Amino acid sequence: MSNGDTTLTPKTSTKPKLERPKLYKVLLVNDDYTPREFVVLVLKAVFRMAEETSYRVMMTAHKMGTCVVVICTRDIAETKAKEATDLAKEAGYPLLFQTEPEE
């Protein structure tokens, strides 16, 4: 008979390694038809930017051709870009927001 000796083996628990989601940039693309005031309005409404910040982003896109508006996860970036572009289409402007992977 045994004298009560029991062998305990430790339980191994494996934690799955979680990766951070890939980030995407929302880009404001400059055009020659959309009024500056409307671009500032869209940036304030969709991206919740302050007046001064939205003006600075709009002017950067105006001078450079494009400007990064925000960097976030893919689904949020695509949703915001679509919302802003659709808002411009409803108003009759060709304003365009694009998404691309962040490097």
Side-chain angles (χ1 to χ4, degrees):
M1 300 238 186
S2 79
N3 33 341
D5 290 339
T6 57
T7 308
L8 298 175
T9 57
K11 290 185 179 180
T12 57
S13 62
T14 58
K15 269 190 173 178
K17 190 170 183 177
L18 300 176
E19 290 185 16
R20 289 183 165 237
K22 293 192 180 352
L23 297 178
Y24 280 72
K25 298 185 275 191
V26 177
L27 300 171
L28 167 60
V29 181
N30 184 50
D31 66 71
D32 296 332
Y33 302 102
T34 307
R36 294 178 179 185
E37 297 80 20
F38 184 77
V39 176
V40 170
L41 178 79
V42 169
L43 291 170
K44 286 170 53 179
V46 176
F47 297 96
R48 307 279 187 247
M49 289 185 168
E51 178 89 24
E52 185 178 312
T53 306
S54 58
Y55 183 79
R56 214 172 324 128
V57 168
M58 179 272 303
M59 286 306 294
T60 302
H62 180 69
K63 292 176 183 175
M64 307 295 283
T66 61
C67 181
V68 176
V69 179
V70 69
I71 299 174
C72 51
T73 59
R74 181 179 180 182
D75 54 342
I76 295 172
E78 288 177 351
T79 301
K80 293 281 188 186
K82 182 174 178 2
E83 184 181 345
T85 302
D86 289 349
L87 193 61
K89 279 184 185 175
E90 287 175 19
Y93 296 118
L95 183 63
L96 180 62
F97 288 84
Q98 297 176 328
T99 59
E100 68 178 38
E102 219 270 316
E103 297 168 3

